[in-house]
Amino acid sequence: MPETRPDPDALLAQLRSDEARALRGKLRIYFGASAGVGKTWAMLSAARREREAGRDVLIGVVETHGRSETAALLAGLDTLPLRELPYRGRTLAEFDLDAALARRPAVLLVDELAHTNAPGSRHAKRWQDVQELLAAGIEVWSALNVQHLESLNGTVGAITGVRVHETVPDTVLDEADEVVLVDVTPDELTARLAAGKVYLPQQAERAAQNFFRKGNLIALREIALRRTAEHVEDDVRGWRVEQSGPGGNGQGGAALQAWNTSGAILACVGPHEGAAQTVRTAARLAGQLNVRWHAAYVETPRLQRLDAAQRDRILAVLKLAEELGAATAVLTGADVAEQLSEQARRLNCATLVIGRAEPVRGWRRWWGASAVPLARALAQRAPALDILEVGRADSARRLSQATLVATQADDDDERAQSRWPGYAWAAATSIALTLLCTPLTGVLELSNIVMLFLLGVVGVAMRFGRGPSALAAMLNVAAFDYFFVAPRLSFAVSDVQYLLTFAVMLGVGLLVGQLTAGLRFAAGVSTSRERRARSLFELTRELSAALESTQVVALGAAAVQAHFGGHARVLVTDAADQLVPPADPPPGFDAQVADWAFRHGQPAGLATATLAAQPWHYVPLRAPMRVRGVLALCPARPRWLLIPEQAQQLDTLARQIAIALERVHYVEVAQRAVVEMESERLRNALLGAISHDVRTPLTALIALAESLQTLPPEEHGEAARAIVAQAHALHALVSNLLDMARLESGVAGGAVNLRRDWQSVEEVVGAAIRAARPALRGMTVQTAWDPELPLVEFDAVLIERVLVNLLENAAKYGAAPIEVGARAEPAALVLTVRDHGPGLPAALQGREQTLFDKFTRGEAESATPGVGLGLAICRAVVSAHGGEISAANARDGGAEFTVTLPRREPPEPAEAQL
């Protein structure tokens, strides 16, 4: 049998999934067909059993609806106090999310999952509170009725005639760890309603006449059973996948059959009222088939002229699709069928869900009888596509009140940009052409005048669009007939052939206006896409050169503000990984909301489900490793945040900023690591040098000092000379250390104080030979230079130290004789120190400059004393003078060091004395 190995990617994905599942709390939902089936009673009964078993059970919020037997189950259970919120002159009691997070019980009961929170709460819906509790690792129990599921909202409303506005996305139920079906028969539920166990008597009577009819209860029960069965089927499918394992084998070694899935689903969002039902049906179908699904809206030139209310409805439906788990997109083009079929091919979708077209009534039945229905056009363009038409439902999706208030400025701007100026310009253009062509009547043929009128139609179409161009075409035909066709100043036509001219002129004018308006629409779409691509490209290019987080913050805020307008802020973290609020917070900015978005890694504020009343939109800067900060935006057009393309653009910009911040962070980490490594290396080298070269003379000094007590007086002089020699050696080592520290700080900070003066090179060389005589130990030093060597301007003390160190180095590692040379070049003084020893080690060939590094010695292990700072001091001094120093092997043996100092012509003797 062939060996079956597990897929590493699948193993890694499974490990990540298991880790995320272990950190996340469990969700149990008590699911029922309607109110009164006993969901809360069953949940409280289970809570009492858990409490008796020793678990920490806490009541977050429970609605008893006046039922005494349900309220009795609360006895003995810990209850979390509700949070009071003022609203319109009264006080509302709401679930306290922060207190629950601080308490962190083992099991938390949060009833009424579809409840809408009071204004001022962190989240708009209670199910969003539950999501935050689960993310914190708290196990939550809740209750839900079937009519509150978003995808079933329209279906249940059509059955019962009652619309429920509090809904929960289907993904909440799908992702629940446990679904407990609480079910009773319709007859039993009706009896409970009559006995007052569901509602109070007055409410029960109205409910029995409307919602709680037997037919409704049977239908709702069937839907609840089917929905629960789908969840169980998902559990079975997930279990089979887990049992199959990454390699495809079950635990027993037998291969489990794969569950093949069909292609994805594409839902078409139209401008009509029933678009929300199309999205809900697509979500239900995707859930049943366990496939991914998408939603797309095609904006044509005609739909671009919709008013603000209709566009808000379309955006609300797209937002609903996102909540139900779809990937949304706004397409642009003149042909809806072409755009949808192309999108389906691009996304590999096998099924396309569309809404049923409105029936054509009245005169439009004859006018539009030749129009091809969308389903037929799609079938012609994509024969392999499965097309599903969804029935119409009396339901419409609206934006939340907070979003409508935030987009009020957009509506005002659009009202200000009225189309009436375009029509006025069309009329003015027709009048201007008439005045221009009237004097030319006897000069130009009428055909040429017609061309001028057509040119005016093209100009109006390019500037103002289709409607004004159509008006311009009709006005131009009327003006041409009235002012230029005989009999003039009359609409009567003497020659019937002019009727054909009028018809052609009108038709060509309308056609040209239509085509020009279409090109204008396409150009606008291309400009919008180019603008988004350019802003992303420019930000990426600028961020690639940023080396500090402050640069990334400034560039990111500027790019987002340039694209969306308004105000933008990029907030980063400090050393303690805490979000740093801006020093001068702009109006409306809330640091607490920004901190919540940072800690939870989720968007908040405007156009989100969390604190949607905020005027600012907060996006976490999520990098590959972790969240690096928050991007806060107060856009000039809040509606843009509801358009999928613009929302994706904002997410992409935020992603680029986060990646740049993470890159800069790790660059700083790498730099600190290099500095720490270099510091550690230097510290170890210094300790090694001191322990070897400083300890030796100290040990000798101690031994000589102790021997003075036992030596006879005639030998004290020899011991004293030895002590002096060791003290000089120790003094030289310490001096080198101190001089290197002073020179290193001076070269780095530009604070070396050179005492330049015109010096005689012969005198400085002679002084250096005398100072190095103890280290030379009688070795011969030969000098060679031009007798006419000029004066050179340098710091004599420091250059003498350079020569002394080079002589000492030659004495330690070379052999006699030592040669010191000097020559003057047009712009430089060249000093050389050469010995006749073995030369530089072979390991240093090609990298001789490393000899001048601190704590570097010619031989790593050598009995020759020294800490490796002499040559480093030489390079520091020469560099401070603006010169260079190098080392090489001489041609006939030995090592040669060359010092090159810049020089200029010496002054006249009188000037030198000054």
Side-chain angles (χ1 to χ4, degrees):
M1 293 179 63
E3 183 181 0
T4 302
R5 296 183 178 181
D7 184 6
D9 293 335
L11 282 173
L12 183 59
Q14 184 176 356
L15 289 175
R16 290 176 177 173
S17 177
D18 294 342
E19 182 180 0
R21 192 182 308 168
L23 296 176
R24 184 176 175 84
K26 293 184 178 180
L27 174 62
R28 177 190 292 185
I29 295 180
Y30 289 84
F31 190 56
S34 67
V37 297
K39 302 181 299 300
T40 305
W41 189 89
M43 181 171 62
L44 290 174
S45 299
R48 294 183 67 86
R49 291 192 296 272
E50 291 293 318
R51 177 63 181 273
E52 292 174 358
R55 297 192 69 187
D56 181 16
V57 180
L58 179 65
I59 305 294
V61 58
V62 165
E63 301 290 345
T64 62
H65 297 288
R67 302 164 192 160
S68 58
E69 55 186 17
T70 302
L73 294 176
L74 294 173
L77 295 175
D78 295 338
T79 302
L80 190 70
L82 297 178
R83 178 185 176 208
E84 295 184 351
L85 291 174
Y87 179 69
R88 293 183 178 179
R90 56 190 182 130
T91 301
L92 301 179
E94 288 289 350
F95 168 62
D96 195 340
L97 176 60
D98 292 326
L101 291 171
R103 174 69 165 72
R104 295 187 65 84
V107 179
L108 180 66
L109 275 62
V110 183
D111 202 4
E112 300 288 349
L113 188 60
H115 173 75
T116 300
N117 293 331
S121 302
R122 181 182 305 169
H123 301 294
K125 299 289 186 177
R126 184 169 290 172
W127 64 265
Q128 295 169 337
D129 296 340
V130 170
Q131 293 293 323
E132 186 171 344
L133 292 168
L134 295 174
I138 301 175
E139 182 176 347
V140 180
W141 295 359
S142 189
L144 181 68
N145 290 331
V146 69
Q147 65 265 29
H148 293 292
L149 279 178
E150 182 63 61
S151 65
L152 297 173
N153 185 262
T155 302
V156 174
I159 293 174
T160 63
V162 178
R163 298 294 301 172
V164 177
H165 299 288
E166 293 183 330
T167 58
V168 172
D170 288 45
T171 53
V172 176
L173 183 66
D174 295 336
E175 295 174 357
D177 298 275
E178 298 178 10
V179 175
V180 180
L181 177 65
V182 182
D183 181 49
V184 296
T185 63
D187 292 335
E188 182 180 353
L189 182 57
T190 304
R192 295 188 62 188
L193 180 66
K197 296 182 178 181
V198 180
Y199 295 125
L200 297 177
Q202 298 82 1
Q203 296 175 330
E205 184 178 354
R206 291 194 301 269
Q209 297 175 358
N210 298 297
F211 188 87
F212 282 82
R213 293 195 296 267
K214 186 171 183 178
N216 294 348
L217 298 179
I218 293 174
L220 293 178
R221 188 186 186 199
E222 179 186 4
I223 294 174
L225 291 171
R226 288 182 180 274
R227 192 65 181 85
T228 306
E230 290 173 9
H231 189 277
V232 174
E233 183 181 5
D234 292 339
D235 291 341
V236 173
R237 185 183 295 112
W239 179 85
R240 290 175 61 86
V241 171
E242 291 179 359
Q243 292 300 307
S244 66
N249 294 333
Q251 292 178 347
L256 293 175
Q257 182 125 13
W259 288 48
N260 296 325
T261 59
S262 59
I265 295 174
L266 177 63
C268 176
V269 177
H272 50 76
E273 290 278 348
Q277 182 64 17
T278 304
V279 168
R280 293 189 181 101
T281 302
R284 293 275 299 130
L285 184 61
Q288 293 172 356
L289 298 177
N290 192 30
V291 297
R292 55 187 173 85
W293 70 289
H294 308 263
Y297 164 69
V298 181
E299 186 175 57
T300 62
R302 180 180 64 85
L303 296 179
Q304 197 179 33
R305 300 192 299 272
L306 295 176
D307 57 25
Q310 291 176 302
R311 287 200 300 272
D312 285 343
R313 184 173 64 242
I314 294 169
L315 294 177
V317 174
L318 290 174
K319 188 174 180 60
L320 170 64
E322 290 181 351
E323 293 176 355
L324 293 177
T328 59
V330 175
L331 311 176
T332 53
D335 191 338
V336 176
E338 179 182 0
Q339 295 296 325
L340 288 177
S341 59
E342 180 62 27
Q343 182 77 349
R345 282 192 293 269
R346 183 164 53 251
L347 299 175
N348 193 25
C349 296
T351 305
L352 198 147
V353 181
I354 62 176
R356 185 168 297 162
E358 296 182 359
V360 182
R361 299 183 178 88
W363 62 270
R364 290 184 299 171
R365 180 183 305 173
W366 307 101
W367 182 265
S370 60
V372 180
L374 178 60
R376 187 183 304 173
L378 287 169
Q380 293 174 354
R381 292 187 175 274
L385 253 174
D386 295 333
I387 301 174
L388 175 64
E389 283 194 3
V390 178
R392 301 183 62 81
D394 297 332
S395 64
R397 188 76 175 182
R398 296 286 187 271
L399 290 177
S400 64
Q401 188 66 29
T403 306
L404 289 175
V405 171
T407 57
Q408 187 65 39
D410 288 358
D411 299 339
D412 296 339
D413 294 341
E414 291 172 0
R415 292 190 187 98
Q417 298 173 356
S418 176
R419 300 189 185 93
W420 291 115
Y423 293 101
W425 274 101
T429 302
S430 180
I431 295 173
L433 288 173
T434 302
L435 296 176
L436 175 65
C437 295
T438 299
L440 303 176
T441 303
V443 180
L444 299 177
E445 295 289 339
L446 292 181
S447 59
N448 294 327
I449 294 177
V450 169
M451 293 298 103
L452 292 177
F453 278 111
L454 289 178
L455 182 61
V457 174
V458 173
V460 172
M462 291 182 63
R463 179 65 181 84
F464 299 105
R466 184 180 294 100
S469 68
L471 175 63
M474 291 185 289
L475 291 178
N476 288 350
V477 170
F480 179 74
D481 180 19
Y482 190 81
F483 292 100
F484 299 99
V485 176
R488 299 178 64 185
L489 302 179
S490 172
F491 288 107
V493 179
S494 59
D495 192 346
V496 180
Q497 293 183 1
Y498 280 111
L499 295 178
L500 179 60
T501 302
F502 297 156
V504 173
M505 183 178 175
L506 180 60
V508 171
L510 293 176
L511 179 60
V512 170
Q514 176 77 7
L515 294 177
T516 307
L519 290 176
R520 181 169 173 263
F521 171 74
V525 172
S526 300
T527 301
S528 177
R529 292 175 179 172
E530 189 271 338
R531 181 173 178 268
R532 294 199 300 269
R534 185 178 67 251
S535 64
L536 181 59
F537 167 74
E538 291 177 352
L539 176 62
T540 305
R541 181 187 60 191
E542 297 294 335
L543 290 180
S544 63
L547 299 178
E548 297 181 356
S549 59
T550 54
Q551 294 177 310
V552 176
V553 168
L555 292 172
V560 174
Q561 188 167 322
H563 185 83
F564 290 93
H567 303 281
R569 293 287 190 276
V570 176
L571 311 180
V572 295
T573 57
D574 55 13
D577 201 21
Q578 298 294 323
L579 194 66
V580 180
D584 52 340
F589 180 87
D590 194 330
Q592 294 182 349
V593 181
D595 185 69
W596 187 92
F598 169 73
R599 287 186 291 103
H600 292 80
Q602 299 176 6
L606 178 66
T608 67
T610 303
L611 300 171
Q614 293 287 325
W616 285 70
H617 181 77
Y618 303 89
V619 182
L621 298 177
R622 187 182 297 277
M625 297 302 296
R626 61 182 181 87
V627 179
R628 294 290 170 183
V630 170
L631 170 61
L633 172 64
C634 181
R637 292 178 173 268
R639 181 181 280 109
W640 277 23
L641 298 178
L642 300 176
I643 301 175
E645 277 70 21
Q646 298 296 339
Q648 293 171 5
Q649 179 77 2
L650 180 61
D651 291 340
T652 304
L653 293 175
R655 181 77 171 179
Q656 292 299 319
I657 297 172
I659 292 174
L661 286 173
E662 188 161 275
R663 175 181 60 81
V664 170
H665 169 73
Y666 283 113
V667 167
E668 295 174 352
V669 171
Q671 290 176 345
R672 288 197 299 267
V674 170
V675 172
E676 291 175 358
M677 292 171 60
E678 184 66 16
S679 301
E680 184 68 16
R681 187 185 70 83
L682 293 178
R683 187 182 70 86
N684 293 335
L686 178 61
L687 291 176
I690 291 177
S691 64
H692 179 271
D693 297 303
V694 176
R695 184 172 55 185
T696 299
L698 285 177
T699 304
L701 287 174
I702 294 173
L704 290 172
E706 291 177 347
S707 65
L708 289 176
Q709 300 176 2
T710 59
L711 288 176
E714 59 273 10
E715 297 183 8
H716 283 184
E718 185 66 24
R721 285 191 293 271
I723 291 175
V724 171
Q726 294 295 334
H728 279 298
L730 182 60
H731 178 267
L733 293 174
V734 175
S735 297
N736 278 341
L737 291 173
L738 296 177
D739 289 345
M740 191 67 242
R742 180 175 62 87
L743 291 171
E744 188 81 350
S745 61
V747 171
V752 175
N753 186 16
L754 296 178
R755 304 182 63 177
R756 294 178 181 267
D757 200 357
W758 295 98
Q759 306 289 343
S760 171
V761 178
E762 298 91 333
E763 293 181 2
V764 174
V765 172
I769 295 174
R770 288 192 297 272
R773 192 169 302 279
L776 294 173
R777 298 186 302 277
M779 297 178 66
T780 303
V781 178
Q782 299 176 356
T783 59
W785 52 68
D786 188 354
E788 301 297 329
L789 199 64
L791 297 177
V792 180
E793 187 180 24
F794 53 74
D795 190 322
V797 176
L798 293 180
I799 296 300
E800 178 184 335
R801 186 58 185 271
V802 169
L803 294 174
V804 169
N805 286 347
L806 292 177
L807 290 171
E808 290 180 352
N809 184 77
K812 288 180 181 179
Y813 300 100
I818 300 175
E819 299 178 0
V820 178
R823 69 179 185 273
E825 295 184 352
L829 170 68
V830 180
L831 301 174
T832 59
V833 177
R834 177 194 170 186
D835 64 73
H836 289 75
L840 300 179
L844 293 178
Q845 290 185 0
R847 52 188 191 93
E848 289 83 359
Q849 284 297 323
T850 59
L851 278 173
F852 301 97
D853 293 340
K854 296 184 295 293
F855 306 110
T856 300
R857 304 176 67 186
E859 297 178 5
E861 297 294 336
S862 174
T864 304
V867 296
L869 286 179
L871 296 180
I873 292 174
C874 292
R875 184 172 64 176
V877 171
V878 173
S879 298
H881 282 79
E884 296 179 354
I885 185 171
S886 61
N889 284 322
R891 291 183 179 180
D892 52 351
E896 183 177 31
F897 290 82
T898 303
V899 176
T900 304
L901 298 176
R903 79 175 188 87
R904 59 189 178 94
E905 290 299 325
E908 295 298 330
E911 181 181 350
Q913 292 176 1
L914 294 176

